[in-house]
Amino acid sequence: MQPRVVIIGAGIVGTALADEITARGWTDVTVTDRGPLFRTGGSTSHAPGLVFQTNPSKTMAELARYTVEKFSGLGAFDTVGGVEVATTPERWTELHRRHGWATSWGIPSRLLDPEECARLHPLLDRERILGGFHTPTDGLALAVRAAEQQARRAIDRGARFLGYCEVVDIVHREGRVRGVHTADGQDLPADIVISAAGFWGAELGRRVGLTVPLVPMAHQFAKTVQVPALNGEERLPILRHQDADLYYRTYGDRIGIGYYGHTPRPVDMDNLLRDTAGEPMPSMLPFIEAEFEPAWAESVRLLPALGDSKIDEGFDGIFSFTPDGGPILGEHRDLDGFWVAEAVWVTHSAGVARAVAEWIVTGTPDIDLHEADLHRFEDAAHSPEFIRRTSVQAFVEVYDILHPHQYRTEPRNVRTSPFHPRQCELGAYFFEGALWERPAWYEANAGLVEELAADGVEFPPRDDWSSRFYSPISIAEAKWTRTHVALYDMTPLTRYEVSGPGALGFLQELTTNDIAKKPGAVTYTLLLDAHGGVRSDLTVARLGDQLFQVGANGPLDFDWFTRRLPGDGSVSLRDITGGTCCVGVWGPRARELVQPLCADDLSHKAFGYFKALRTYLGSIPVTMLRVSYVGELGWEIYTTAEHGAALWDLLWEAGREYRAIAAGRIAFNSLRLEKGYRSWGTDMTTEHTPEAAGLGFAVRMNKPSFLGKRALESADPPARMLRSIVLDDPHAVVLGKEPVSVDGTPAGYVTSAGYSATIGRTIAYAWLPSSVQPGDQVEIDYLAQVFTATVHTEPVVDPDMSLIRR
């Protein structure tokens, strides 16, 4: 029997979902909306419809590209192209980066001089701009028409749409959705309920105990009276003036102007209907003319023809913002069958609907969605204060130039390791990730730069962009790790405890490698989805017959494990990250430092690579794993948080004799690239098989079964491979997401990169055609430069692994 599906919301997302789900054969679909069909009064009804496909996220760019393709086929898209202009040198550099992203993701684009910009958009004052970025396949989504067209297709397949039908409750029993209850007293039975309610989504989620981290925000939009310079027949491209937080589109002989530069206005949902009572729809707040004055003044400067016009009408439209700017997609962990597809802009709507429909119908989306997954946030990120503050900041930063290493400035210090006070004493500069404070480098090591430079170590100068959020100290820290010994704070590494009589079988079925080893063994393994895509990589330490410690990548792994726990109570899963801490002690002198503190034999023969030991350092109980993400002799040393400060002090004092240092994340990243170690979510995702990602060694196809095995058995040879490349110029630096060309033709893109102090070159990972082999030359576009690079065998440093196994 077909599942019964109820979709809450008949805007651009709900109608697209109905179309995509019914196209996959599930036709018992009901779509409800509190407003009329199809101009429902939500964000879709007032959306200006600008679609700029280029995005630093490959996933978001792909979602937008499908939306353009689909809406064009529906006759609901006007391909007028898009132009983004720069009025500052910083923005002109940013447009070079955007051109690089577009090239990486296969979106047609080119950079323009001021004359070319003015030819495309004659209203522009060419004297005010330095250049532009043109994307010819961008344009205007006719949002209401697209919604209705998709709804009609779904109706033709059997779906029904109910206007003026507000869902007031979700009916559920025994942890499963049973239907919805409406304001007019209807009970609509359902096996699956999808909330596509837009900025009402957070309120709806609360009714079923789900935090949907979004904040409705007001955004100013205005239309001019007739502009004499427009004849109403011209099809001008959509235009963005991001230096002033502005965008423009034409309505015949009028111009629409959107503005993000005003004071952020989070919407009070409790007072929404009162606040919007005098407006055409409940997604519109009254226009605040005074806040728009700077936008108008700047618009007249950029488009002088507006000096003969004026604002005719305006409104403050409501739509959703999230802590990281991404959509919120996925299924409620504690209520089977309740899904959300929220905080989705028109730009990505059809792409999101396709991916969510695949996810619901087949169990696995074809596109990587980890950046949009409902469960990607840490627990502290679900607090109302965090959601509000970060979502407001996301609004402020919509058009800001954001560096890839530019982390939020607040809230900070939400999660700190027990070593944090000592790190501050050493002058740590902190990055933030998953709310953890992570040392990037330590000012205490500044003296090493001069010392190592005297010994011939190169510290190449960097351009303005790559030198931000960076210090040459990190090169010294990496070099020192290879020659001496360093302490790395590994506390933010996510850790789970999996225990119970069913623990081994549970992990064996979910992971690719063989976990059935004696206690004391450590195994590197993968989690795959049903398509054979890599959804995480793990380090599993078997500490007892029924006890395992799992090093994972974050909340998505916990969600994956939780959903697959057996119902008989034979497996217990705990996130132990916050109650524990970890120091990585690595370098050729690591054993000299640690052995005197431990009664157990830490020699290579007694405690080999990929082994685990529960022991004591001094009086501190620890678990030591002989693993090394930096490719050096040493251990990850774990203890409980109560012993953390004492562990650091013990190691630090013992390390004085060996000139041990504390080292940060930038050095850590460069060392792992030297050793050929991947970073999940950056270098590989669910869109890549283990073979393509160079991780086939972590798969045991002779295991009776594991999730994803069947897909691997029938998989075609990968068309693209993750390759290690070394830049030829010792001064060349790239940061990630730059396009890579082969024989002058764009063929792939960089995933991650770091300067290697060992070889004196930048090492990068890049996805390239499988035909590209070690020794081949490639070119990387970085801003306005082209760097040559050579594909290299892996690992680049220490290919025989002698450093780790000494």
Side-chain angles (χ1 to χ4, degrees):
M1 180 181 295
Q2 276 193 7
R4 297 164 297 181
V5 179
V6 170
I7 299 171
I8 305 170
I12 197 70
V13 179
T15 53
L17 278 166
D19 183 29
E20 297 286 344
I21 290 172
T22 57
R24 287 162 176 77
W26 288 13
T27 57
D28 190 349
V29 174
T30 302
V31 184
T32 72
D33 200 283
R34 61 193 297 155
L37 303 176
F38 286 94
R39 193 175 294 276
T40 63
S43 301
T44 302
S45 303
H46 64 65
L50 283 73
V51 176
F52 286 89
Q53 299 165 85
T54 304
N55 193 290
S57 163
K58 177 178 178 292
T59 293
M60 298 305 290
E62 178 59 32
L63 296 174
R65 182 163 54 184
Y66 178 75
T67 300
V68 168
E69 177 186 319
K70 184 177 185 183
F71 287 4
S72 296
L74 293 172
F77 191 80
D78 189 2
T79 310
V80 295
V83 174
E84 302 175 41
V85 295
T87 59
T88 64
E90 294 78 14
R91 183 66 63 179
W92 182 228
T93 302
E94 169 75 354
L95 294 188
H96 281 78
R97 280 189 293 279
R98 294 184 64 77
H99 177 53
W101 298 335
T103 305
S104 291
W105 315 146
I107 299 168
S109 70
R110 62 192 181 104
L111 293 167
L112 311 176
D113 62 29
E115 293 295 326
E116 292 173 306
C117 292
R119 281 197 292 271
L120 282 172
H121 201 297
L123 271 60
L124 279 168
D125 179 357
R126 69 196 67 187
E127 300 300 322
R128 290 213 63 228
I129 59 178
L130 302 179
F133 169 58
H134 179 224
T135 43
T137 59
D138 286 345
L140 294 166
L142 311 178
V144 175
R145 182 187 298 179
E148 184 167 358
Q149 291 282 78
Q150 291 176 103
R152 298 297 178 198
R153 299 199 325 179
I155 290 168
D156 289 343
R157 300 185 190 109
R160 61 173 179 158
F161 282 71
L162 305 176
Y164 295 110
C165 183
E166 181 181 2
V167 170
V168 294
D169 199 10
I170 310 299
V171 181
H172 55 93
R173 291 190 304 276
E174 299 175 348
R176 171 133 209 111
V177 157
R178 303 297 177 180
V180 301
H181 185 69
T182 68
D184 60 2
Q186 294 186 72
D187 285 308
L188 305 176
D191 304 295
I192 293 172
V193 172
I194 310 171
S195 174
F199 58 81
W200 285 283
E203 302 295 313
L204 195 58
R206 275 192 281 272
R207 298 178 192 177
V208 290
L210 178 67
T211 299
V212 180
L214 66 81
V215 174
M217 301 282 290
H219 160 61
Q220 289 200 304
F221 190 80
K223 291 181 183 179
T224 67
V225 298
Q226 179 183 12
V227 177
L230 293 175
N231 61 23
E233 302 298 325
E234 295 175 284
R235 296 177 67 252
L236 297 185
I238 52 178
L239 175 66
R240 286 206 286 197
H241 176 24
Q242 292 169 297
D243 286 323
D245 296 307
L246 287 160
Y247 64 82
Y248 307 89
R249 59 156 296 182
T250 56
Y251 293 88
D253 57 5
R254 305 167 72 197
I255 290 182
I257 306 171
Y259 183 46
Y260 286 105
H262 56 85
T263 303
R265 294 179 60 196
V267 174
D268 182 354
M269 293 298 290
D270 290 336
N271 296 321
L272 175 68
L273 296 181
R274 184 195 68 192
D275 293 343
T276 61
E279 301 302 309
M281 58 186 72
S283 58
M284 288 181 169
L285 288 166
F287 186 62
I288 302 178
E289 294 184 16
E291 291 220 336
F292 196 75
E293 288 176 0
W296 179 249
E298 180 59 30
S299 296
V300 172
R301 283 192 287 270
L302 183 72
L303 308 172
L306 293 183
D308 298 326
S309 183
K310 64 179 181 179
I311 295 299
D312 181 40
E313 58 181 317
F315 63 92
D316 286 10
I318 303 172
F319 62 122
S320 302
F321 279 78
T322 62
D324 59 6
I328 308 295
L329 314 175
E331 185 182 17
H332 195 326
R333 183 183 300 148
D334 302 318
L335 182 58
D336 290 349
F338 185 83
W339 289 74
V340 297
E342 302 292 15
V344 180
W345 293 10
V346 171
T347 299
H348 310 107
S349 55
V352 163
R354 178 179 65 168
V356 173
E358 291 169 347
W359 198 352
I360 292 173
V361 175
T362 71
T364 307
D366 286 339
I367 189 173
D368 169 53
L369 290 178
H370 82 272
E371 296 172 320
D373 196 297
L374 163 67
H375 301 287
R376 66 188 182 271
F377 298 103
E378 303 287 340
D379 284 347
H382 289 131
S383 69
E385 178 187 13
F386 182 91
I387 294 169
R388 182 180 177 90
R389 290 172 69 182
T390 54
S391 297
V392 166
Q393 189 62 25
F395 179 93
V396 171
E397 293 176 347
V398 163
Y399 282 173
D400 284 1
I401 298 171
L402 300 177
H403 193 278
H405 297 150
Q406 181 175 336
Y407 299 92
R408 63 171 59 96
T409 56
E410 61 174 19
R412 291 293 294 265
N413 296 307
V414 177
R415 304 176 85 184
T416 58
S417 81
F419 320 136
H420 187 257
R422 297 293 185 262
Q423 293 165 347
C424 291
E425 291 170 5
L426 294 170
Y429 182 91
F430 291 98
F431 287 169
E432 180 268 338
L435 284 79
W436 283 104
E437 296 298 320
R438 308 179 186 222
W441 68 83
Y442 294 86
E443 288 295 332
N445 297 325
L448 293 180
V449 175
E450 184 175 346
E451 180 179 339
L452 291 172
D455 290 339
V457 175
E458 292 288 335
F459 292 86
R462 288 194 168 208
D463 65 275
D464 175 69
W465 184 248
S466 64
S467 64
R468 299 181 190 183
F469 308 100
Y470 167 82
S471 170
I473 293 171
S474 63
I475 296 177
E477 292 176 351
K479 187 68 174 180
W480 203 259
T481 304
R482 288 271 184 252
T483 57
H484 292 73
V485 61
L487 277 58
Y488 289 82
D489 183 0
M490 301 301 292
T491 302
L493 173 68
T494 300
R495 295 175 290 285
Y496 306 141
E497 180 184 273
V498 182
S499 61
L504 175 60
F506 173 73
L507 290 171
Q508 281 285 71
E509 183 60 29
L510 289 183
T511 67
T512 59
N513 215 332
D514 186 10
I515 311 298
K517 300 171 183 175
K518 293 180 181 179
V522 180
T523 305
Y524 177 78
T525 188
L526 308 174
L527 293 180
L528 305 184
D529 64 19
H531 291 174
V534 181
R535 64 166 297 117
S536 191
D537 62 339
L538 312 172
T539 302
V540 180
R542 190 170 191 182
L543 303 180
D545 287 338
Q546 300 183 7
L547 178 64
F548 298 82
Q549 178 175 302
V550 178
N553 282 299
L556 294 180
D557 292 339
F558 192 81
D559 180 64
W560 189 256
F561 280 139
T562 300
R563 292 179 185 279
R564 287 157 180 81
L565 287 171
D568 58 7
S570 63
V571 180
S572 174
L573 172 67
R574 289 199 306 137
D575 185 338
I576 60 172
T577 310
T580 56
C581 57
C582 178
V583 183
V585 182
W586 293 307
R589 308 200 72 177
R591 187 175 285 116
E592 296 174 71
L593 189 162
V594 179
Q595 180 64 85
L597 306 176
C598 185
D600 285 294
D601 185 355
L602 303 184
S603 68
H604 181 66
K605 183 176 180 180
F607 188 6
Y609 191 54
F610 265 80
K611 298 297 181 182
L613 175 68
R614 304 179 87 177
T615 184
Y616 292 87
L617 296 185
S619 301
I620 301 169
V622 298
T623 298
M624 299 177 65
L625 305 188
R626 180 81 188 278
V627 296
S628 175
Y629 202 55
V630 303
E632 277 291 339
L633 169 66
W635 304 269
E636 291 178 356
I637 304 174
Y638 297 88
T639 190
T640 54
E642 62 185 322
H643 298 299
L647 175 64
W648 181 275
D649 289 346
L650 179 69
L651 293 168
W652 188 258
E653 187 60 33
R656 291 184 187 277
E657 180 180 350
Y658 309 102
R659 297 192 69 189
I661 65 167
R665 300 295 297 184
I666 298 178
F668 180 83
N669 183 61
S670 71
L671 292 170
R672 67 98 180 170
L673 286 161
E674 291 181 352
K675 292 302 298 179
Y677 297 150
R678 281 82 169 128
S679 174
W680 185 84
T682 301
D683 298 320
M684 74 276 191
T685 68
T686 56
E687 295 180 7
H688 310 112
T689 64
E691 182 184 358
L695 298 175
F697 67 87
V699 180
R700 295 291 177 266
M701 292 300 290
N702 59 354
K703 283 174 61 173
S705 69
F706 59 83
L707 181 57
K709 180 182 179 183
R710 184 175 299 178
L712 295 186
E713 289 173 333
S714 59
D716 295 327
R720 303 171 74 80
M721 298 287 293
L722 186 67
R723 298 296 193 191
S724 184
I725 58 178
V726 177
L727 276 69
D728 297 326
D729 182 349
H731 290 175
V733 174
V734 297
L735 300 180
K737 302 185 179 181
E738 295 88 358
V740 181
S741 296
V742 178
D743 296 328
T745 301
Y749 58 92
V750 172
T751 58
S752 57
Y755 180 80
S756 166
T758 305
I759 68 169
R761 300 283 191 280
T762 290
I763 301 173
Y765 274 128
W767 281 101
L768 294 168
S770 298
S771 58
V772 178
Q773 296 294 315
D776 290 349
Q777 289 281 305
V778 298
E779 303 85 38
I780 305 172
D781 285 355
Y782 174 75
L783 303 183
Q785 304 173 77
V786 176
F787 297 138
T788 61
T790 303
V791 180
H792 205 286
T793 55
E794 291 190 77
V796 176
V797 173
D798 189 32
D800 61 1
M801 307 294 280
S802 61
L803 299 181
I804 293 176
R805 293 190 167 97
R806 53 188 161 192

